[in-house]
Amino acid sequence: MNFKDKLSNIVNMNNSILCVGLDVDKDKIPKFLFDTNTSPYINFNKAIIDSTKDVVCAYKLNMAFYESIGTNGHEILKKTLEYIPKNIIIILDGKRNDIGNSARMYAKSIFEILKADSATVNPYLGIDGITPFLKYKNKCSFILCRTSNPSAIDLQDQIVSNFPLYQKVAMKIREWNYNDNCGAVIGATYPNELKIIRKILGDDIPFLIPGIGKQGGDIEKTIKNGGNTKGEMIILNSSRGIIYAGNDDKFAERSREVAIKTRDSINRFR
Ligand code: OMP
Protein backbone atom coordinates (compact mmCIF):
# COMPACT_ATOMS: atom_id res chain seq x y z
CA MET A 1 0.00 0.00 0.00
CA ASN A 2 1.32 3.45 -0.78
CA PHE A 3 1.83 6.20 1.78
CA LYS A 4 -1.20 8.28 0.87
CA ASP A 5 -3.61 5.33 1.04
CA LYS A 6 -2.19 4.26 4.40
CA LEU A 7 -2.51 7.83 5.68
CA SER A 8 -6.07 8.19 4.45
CA ASN A 9 -7.08 4.85 6.07
CA ILE A 10 -5.71 5.71 9.49
CA VAL A 11 -6.99 9.31 9.39
CA ASN A 12 -10.49 7.96 8.74
CA MET A 13 -10.22 5.12 11.25
CA ASN A 14 -8.96 7.23 14.17
CA ASN A 15 -10.62 10.47 12.99
CA SER A 16 -7.28 12.13 13.56
CA ILE A 17 -4.54 14.05 11.78
CA LEU A 18 -2.48 14.22 14.97
CA CYS A 19 1.07 12.87 14.99
CA VAL A 20 2.70 12.23 18.35
CA GLY A 21 6.44 12.82 18.41
CA LEU A 22 8.35 10.17 20.36
CA ASP A 23 11.34 12.36 21.18
CA VAL A 24 12.77 10.49 24.16
CA ASP A 25 14.78 12.67 26.53
CA LYS A 26 16.28 11.29 29.75
CA ASP A 27 15.81 14.62 31.50
CA LYS A 28 12.08 14.64 30.79
CA ILE A 29 11.03 10.99 31.05
CA PRO A 30 9.51 10.26 34.51
CA LYS A 31 12.44 9.55 36.87
CA PHE A 32 10.86 6.49 38.47
CA LEU A 33 11.16 4.60 35.17
CA PHE A 34 14.95 4.79 35.42
CA ASP A 35 14.93 3.60 39.05
CA THR A 36 12.60 0.65 38.58
CA ASN A 37 13.14 -0.47 35.03
CA THR A 38 15.77 -2.18 32.93
CA SER A 39 14.46 -0.74 29.63
CA PRO A 40 13.12 2.68 30.63
CA TYR A 41 13.11 4.26 27.15
CA ILE A 42 11.34 1.32 25.50
CA ASN A 43 8.82 0.98 28.29
CA PHE A 44 8.16 4.72 28.22
CA ASN A 45 7.50 4.60 24.46
CA LYS A 46 5.35 1.48 24.76
CA ALA A 47 3.20 3.12 27.43
CA ILE A 48 2.76 6.27 25.29
CA ILE A 49 1.92 4.19 22.21
CA ASP A 50 -0.58 2.04 24.15
CA SER A 51 -2.30 5.12 25.50
CA THR A 52 -2.47 7.11 22.24
CA LYS A 53 -2.67 4.61 19.37
CA ASP A 54 -6.41 5.15 18.82
CA VAL A 55 -6.02 8.95 18.83
CA VAL A 56 -3.24 9.49 16.27
CA CYS A 57 -2.58 8.98 12.57
CA ALA A 58 1.21 8.89 12.94
CA TYR A 59 4.21 8.67 15.24
CA LYS A 60 7.31 10.70 14.45
CA LEU A 61 10.63 9.68 15.90
CA ASN A 62 13.35 12.30 15.74
CA MET A 63 16.50 10.22 15.28
CA ALA A 64 18.72 12.63 17.22
CA PHE A 65 17.02 11.65 20.47
CA TYR A 66 17.86 7.99 19.85
CA GLU A 67 21.37 8.47 18.45
CA SER A 68 22.30 10.61 21.47
CA ILE A 69 21.50 7.73 23.86
CA GLY A 70 24.64 5.99 22.64
CA THR A 71 25.17 2.39 21.55
CA ASN A 72 21.72 1.27 22.80
CA GLY A 73 19.95 4.01 20.89
CA HIS A 74 19.55 2.07 17.65
CA GLU A 75 18.05 -0.93 19.47
CA ILE A 76 15.62 1.32 21.36
CA LEU A 77 14.60 2.96 18.09
CA LYS A 78 14.12 -0.41 16.36
CA LYS A 79 12.12 -1.95 19.22
CA THR A 80 9.90 1.12 19.37
CA LEU A 81 9.27 0.99 15.62
CA GLU A 82 8.38 -2.70 15.85
CA TYR A 83 5.85 -1.95 18.59
CA ILE A 84 3.93 0.67 16.59
CA PRO A 85 0.73 -0.88 15.12
CA LYS A 86 1.20 -1.60 11.42
CA ASN A 87 -1.68 0.62 10.29
CA ILE A 88 -0.19 3.77 11.86
CA ILE A 89 2.18 5.97 9.83
CA ILE A 90 5.81 6.06 10.98
CA ILE A 91 7.81 9.20 10.22
CA LEU A 92 11.55 8.97 10.79
CA ASP A 93 12.78 12.48 11.31
CA GLY A 94 16.49 12.68 10.53
CA LYS A 95 16.40 15.68 8.14
CA ARG A 96 18.90 13.65 6.14
CA ASN A 97 20.69 14.38 2.92
CA ASP A 98 24.08 14.31 1.22
CA ILE A 99 25.64 13.86 -2.22
CA GLY A 100 23.71 11.26 -4.21
CA ASN A 101 26.01 8.33 -3.42
CA SER A 102 25.69 8.91 0.33
CA ALA A 103 22.02 9.98 0.30
CA ARG A 104 21.31 6.51 -1.15
CA MET A 105 22.55 5.02 2.15
CA TYR A 106 20.44 7.35 4.27
CA ALA A 107 17.39 6.38 2.22
CA LYS A 108 18.21 2.66 2.49
CA SER A 109 18.68 2.89 6.23
CA ILE A 110 15.37 4.69 6.81
CA PHE A 111 13.15 2.83 4.34
CA GLU A 112 14.69 -0.65 4.14
CA ILE A 113 16.45 -1.27 7.45
CA LEU A 114 14.14 0.69 9.75
CA LYS A 115 11.11 0.25 7.45
CA ALA A 116 9.63 3.69 8.06
CA ASP A 117 6.75 4.96 5.92
CA SER A 118 8.31 8.38 5.55
CA ALA A 119 11.39 10.49 6.20
CA THR A 120 12.20 14.14 6.67
CA VAL A 121 14.69 15.27 4.03
CA ASN A 122 16.85 18.36 3.60
CA PRO A 123 16.56 20.03 0.15
CA TYR A 124 19.83 21.98 0.30
CA LEU A 125 21.79 19.59 -1.93
CA GLY A 126 19.28 19.62 -4.77
CA ILE A 127 17.86 16.81 -6.89
CA ASP A 128 20.78 14.36 -6.80
CA GLY A 129 20.47 14.16 -3.01
CA ILE A 130 16.67 13.87 -3.22
CA THR A 131 16.42 11.22 -5.96
CA PRO A 132 17.59 8.27 -3.79
CA PHE A 133 14.66 8.96 -1.43
CA LEU A 134 12.13 9.39 -4.25
CA LYS A 135 13.05 5.98 -5.67
CA TYR A 136 11.02 4.47 -2.84
CA LYS A 137 7.74 5.09 -4.61
CA ASN A 138 5.40 3.88 -1.87
CA LYS A 139 7.10 5.97 0.81
CA CYS A 140 6.83 9.70 1.43
CA SER A 141 9.76 12.11 1.66
CA PHE A 142 8.82 15.20 3.64
CA ILE A 143 11.14 17.93 2.37
CA LEU A 144 11.98 20.85 4.67
CA CYS A 145 10.30 23.91 3.19
CA ARG A 146 9.64 26.40 6.00
CA THR A 147 10.98 25.28 9.37
CA SER A 148 9.29 26.26 12.63
CA ASN A 149 12.27 27.83 14.42
CA PRO A 150 12.75 31.61 14.88
CA SER A 151 15.92 31.71 12.75
CA ALA A 152 14.18 30.00 9.81
CA ILE A 153 14.14 33.54 8.40
CA ASP A 154 17.97 33.73 8.19
CA LEU A 155 18.15 31.74 4.96
CA GLN A 156 14.58 30.85 4.07
CA ASP A 157 13.48 34.47 3.58
CA GLN A 158 16.47 35.39 1.40
CA ILE A 159 15.32 36.53 -2.03
CA VAL A 160 16.41 34.25 -4.85
CA SER A 161 15.35 35.27 -8.40
CA ASN A 162 12.52 37.42 -7.01
CA PHE A 163 11.16 34.87 -4.56
CA PRO A 164 11.96 34.08 -0.92
CA LEU A 165 14.00 30.88 -0.79
CA TYR A 166 11.25 28.92 1.01
CA GLN A 167 8.92 29.61 -1.96
CA LYS A 168 11.64 28.49 -4.38
CA VAL A 169 11.93 25.27 -2.36
CA ALA A 170 8.15 24.82 -2.59
CA MET A 171 8.37 25.20 -6.39
CA LYS A 172 11.15 22.58 -6.43
CA ILE A 173 9.04 20.19 -4.34
CA ARG A 174 6.28 20.50 -6.93
CA GLU A 175 8.80 19.66 -9.64
CA TRP A 176 10.27 16.74 -7.65
CA ASN A 177 6.84 15.20 -7.06
CA TYR A 178 6.97 13.19 -10.34
CA ASN A 179 6.40 9.93 -8.41
CA ASP A 180 3.63 11.50 -6.30
CA ASN A 181 5.67 10.78 -3.15
CA CYS A 182 6.89 14.17 -1.90
CA GLY A 183 5.62 15.91 1.19
CA ALA A 184 6.60 19.25 2.70
CA VAL A 185 7.56 20.27 6.23
CA ILE A 186 6.21 23.64 7.29
CA GLY A 187 6.13 24.99 10.84
CA ALA A 188 2.80 25.87 12.45
CA THR A 189 4.61 28.95 13.77
CA TYR A 190 4.47 30.51 10.26
CA PRO A 191 0.76 30.44 9.28
CA ASN A 192 1.08 33.08 6.53
CA GLU A 193 3.86 31.16 4.83
CA LEU A 194 1.79 27.98 5.25
CA LYS A 195 -0.98 29.52 3.17
CA ILE A 196 1.41 30.62 0.42
CA ILE A 197 3.06 27.19 0.29
CA ARG A 198 -0.30 25.39 0.03
CA LYS A 199 -1.12 27.64 -2.92
CA ILE A 200 2.15 26.71 -4.63
CA LEU A 201 1.87 22.98 -3.90
CA GLY A 202 -1.83 22.49 -4.65
CA ASP A 203 -4.11 19.86 -3.16
CA ASP A 204 -2.14 16.63 -3.47
CA ILE A 205 1.06 17.10 -1.48
CA PRO A 206 0.88 16.16 2.23
CA PHE A 207 2.21 18.65 4.78
CA LEU A 208 3.96 17.62 7.97
CA ILE A 209 3.40 20.50 10.36
CA PRO A 210 5.32 20.58 13.64
CA GLY A 211 5.14 23.56 15.98
CA ILE A 212 1.80 23.21 17.79
CA GLY A 213 2.04 22.50 21.53
CA LYS A 214 5.35 23.60 23.07
CA GLN A 215 6.29 25.90 20.18
CA GLY A 216 2.96 27.72 20.40
CA GLY A 217 1.63 27.43 16.83
CA ASP A 218 -2.06 28.32 16.42
CA ILE A 219 -4.16 25.26 15.58
CA GLU A 220 -7.02 27.11 13.86
CA LYS A 221 -4.74 29.09 11.53
CA THR A 222 -2.67 25.98 10.84
CA ILE A 223 -5.68 23.96 9.71
CA LYS A 224 -7.24 26.79 7.71
CA ASN A 225 -4.02 27.76 5.94
CA GLY A 226 -2.34 24.37 5.67
CA GLY A 227 -5.17 22.10 4.61
CA ASN A 228 -5.97 21.56 0.94
CA THR A 229 -9.35 22.62 -0.49
CA LYS A 230 -10.94 19.63 1.29
CA GLY A 231 -9.10 20.40 4.55
CA GLU A 232 -6.95 17.29 4.04
CA MET A 233 -3.31 16.35 3.44
CA ILE A 234 -2.01 17.66 6.72
CA ILE A 235 -0.40 15.95 9.67
CA LEU A 236 0.08 18.02 12.83
CA ASN A 237 2.90 16.96 15.12
CA SER A 238 3.26 17.60 18.84
CA SER A 239 6.06 15.93 20.79
CA ARG A 240 6.96 17.35 24.25
CA GLY A 241 3.49 18.81 24.88
CA ILE A 242 1.97 15.32 24.75
CA ILE A 243 4.56 12.77 25.83
CA TYR A 244 5.78 14.74 28.85
CA ALA A 245 2.32 15.78 30.09
CA GLY A 246 2.83 13.84 33.34
CA ASN A 247 5.78 12.63 35.38
CA ASP A 248 4.31 10.23 37.93
CA ASP A 249 3.03 6.68 37.44
CA LYS A 250 -0.03 8.08 35.64
CA PHE A 251 2.12 9.71 32.92
CA ALA A 252 0.60 7.66 30.09
CA GLU A 253 -2.95 8.61 31.13
CA ARG A 254 -1.93 12.29 31.20
CA SER A 255 -0.47 11.92 27.69
CA ARG A 256 -3.69 10.34 26.50
CA GLU A 257 -5.74 13.22 27.94
CA VAL A 258 -3.60 15.84 26.18
CA ALA A 259 -3.56 13.83 22.94
CA ILE A 260 -7.37 13.61 22.95
CA LYS A 261 -7.69 17.30 23.77
CA THR A 262 -5.27 18.19 20.96
CA ARG A 263 -7.00 15.92 18.45
CA ASP A 264 -10.39 17.39 19.36
CA SER A 265 -9.10 20.97 19.08
CA ILE A 266 -7.75 20.10 15.64
CA ASN A 267 -10.99 18.41 14.59
CA ARG A 268 -13.03 21.51 15.47
CA PHE A 269 -11.44 23.26 12.48
CA ARG A 270 -11.26 20.42 9.95
P1 OMP B 1 7.90 19.71 19.99
O1 OMP B 1 8.31 21.14 19.87
O2 OMP B 1 8.35 19.09 21.27
O3 OMP B 1 6.43 19.51 19.72
O4 OMP B 1 8.71 18.89 18.87
C1 OMP B 1 8.71 19.23 17.54
C2 OMP B 1 9.34 18.12 16.71
O5 OMP B 1 9.25 18.45 15.33
C3 OMP B 1 10.83 17.92 17.00
O6 OMP B 1 11.17 16.56 16.73
C4 OMP B 1 11.48 18.82 15.97
O7 OMP B 1 12.80 18.41 15.65
C5 OMP B 1 10.56 18.64 14.76
N1 OMP B 1 10.51 19.77 13.81
C6 OMP B 1 10.31 21.05 14.24
O8 OMP B 1 10.07 21.30 15.43
N2 OMP B 1 10.38 22.07 13.36
C7 OMP B 1 10.61 21.89 12.04
O9 OMP B 1 10.63 22.86 11.29
C8 OMP B 1 10.76 20.59 11.56
C9 OMP B 1 10.63 19.53 12.43
C10 OMP B 1 10.53 18.19 11.82
O10 OMP B 1 11.06 18.02 10.72
O11 OMP B 1 9.84 17.34 12.32
Side-chain angles (χ1 to χ4, degrees):
M1 192 187 302
N2 74 26
F3 175 86
K4 280 189 189 170
D5 289 339
K6 185 170 173 179
L7 178 63
S8 160
N9 286 349
I10 188 69
V11 166
N12 290 334
M13 184 177 152
N14 283 354
N15 187 25
S16 178
I17 57 168
L18 174 67
C19 170
V20 167
L22 299 172
D23 293 351
V24 287
D25 181 343
K26 191 168 189 220
D27 295 335
K28 296 193 177 73
I29 289 176
K31 296 265 172 298
F32 80 91
L33 283 178
F34 287 88
D35 300 335
T36 56
N37 223 301
T38 47
S39 309
Y41 293 105
I42 294 170
N43 289 327
F44 174 76
N45 278 346
K46 284 183 172 177
I48 300 288
I49 293 164
D50 286 341
S51 70
T52 57
K53 64 187 175 194
D54 59 333
V55 184
V56 303
C57 68
Y59 290 105
K60 182 171 79 69
L61 293 86
N62 184 314
M63 297 170 82
F65 290 88
Y66 295 84
E67 288 162 1
S68 63
I69 292 169
T71 45
N72 279 342
H74 193 261
E75 195 56 23
I76 294 166
L77 177 65
K78 237 178 156 251
K79 288 223 163 99
T80 303
L81 295 176
E82 282 161 12
Y83 194 73
I84 293 172
K86 295 286 168 275
N87 59 341
I88 297 180
I89 293 284
I90 293 174
I91 304 170
L92 269 185
D93 174 18
K95 302 179 180 64
R96 302 295 201 219
N97 218 321
D98 208 317
I99 61 164
N101 184 52
S102 308
R104 178 171 72 88
M105 293 303 172
Y106 278 135
K108 182 176 179 184
S109 145
I110 288 176
F111 293 142
E112 289 184 42
I113 306 300
L114 294 167
K115 302 190 188 340
D117 299 298
S118 58
T120 57
V121 176
N122 187 327
Y124 200 69
L125 287 95
I127 187 64
D128 54 0
I130 298 283
T131 307
F133 289 89
L134 301 186
K135 282 192 174 146
Y136 294 85
K137 291 193 181 157
N138 287 334
K139 309 287 186 175
C140 179
S141 295
F142 284 104
I143 297 167
L144 299 181
C145 186
R146 175 49 159 211
T147 57
S148 65
N149 52 320
S151 48
I153 57 174
D154 288 355
L155 292 177
Q156 296 165 26
D157 277 356
Q158 292 296 313
I159 302 298
V160 181
S161 329
N162 300 320
F163 292 96
L165 180 58
Y166 79 87
Q167 291 184 30
K168 280 278 181 191
V169 171
M171 293 171 204
K172 280 287 174 198
I173 294 173
R174 200 177 53 195
E175 191 184 313
W176 293 337
N177 194 38
Y178 50 84
N179 281 335
D180 192 28
N181 63 351
C182 285
V185 179
I186 303 111
T189 45
Y190 290 103
N192 297 334
E193 287 76 359
L194 197 48
K195 192 170 186 174
I196 295 167
I197 296 167
R198 179 51 82 189
K199 222 169 163 189
I200 296 171
L201 289 182
D203 270 1
D204 292 332
I205 294 186
F207 286 10
L208 169 62
I209 308 180
I212 60 161
K214 282 283 171 198
Q215 296 180 53
D218 182 275
I219 290 180
E220 181 176 3
K221 284 186 191 154
T222 300
I223 303 290
K224 292 199 167 140
N225 293 355
N228 66 10
T229 48
K230 291 187 193 151
E232 294 169 346
M233 287 288 160
I234 42 174
I235 299 173
L236 266 68
N237 178 84
S238 175
S239 307
R240 289 165 295 177
I242 291 178
I243 68 173
Y244 302 124
N247 56 15
D248 59 16
D249 60 349
K250 297 266 184 298
F251 72 91
E253 284 97 314
R254 297 285 94 79
S255 293
R256 178 172 178 77
E257 285 160 18
V258 180
I260 289 175
K261 211 167 148 199
T262 310
R263 182 204 50 188
D264 292 349
S265 308
I266 292 169
N267 284 351
R268 264 200 289 284
F269 304 110
R270 281 174 68 208

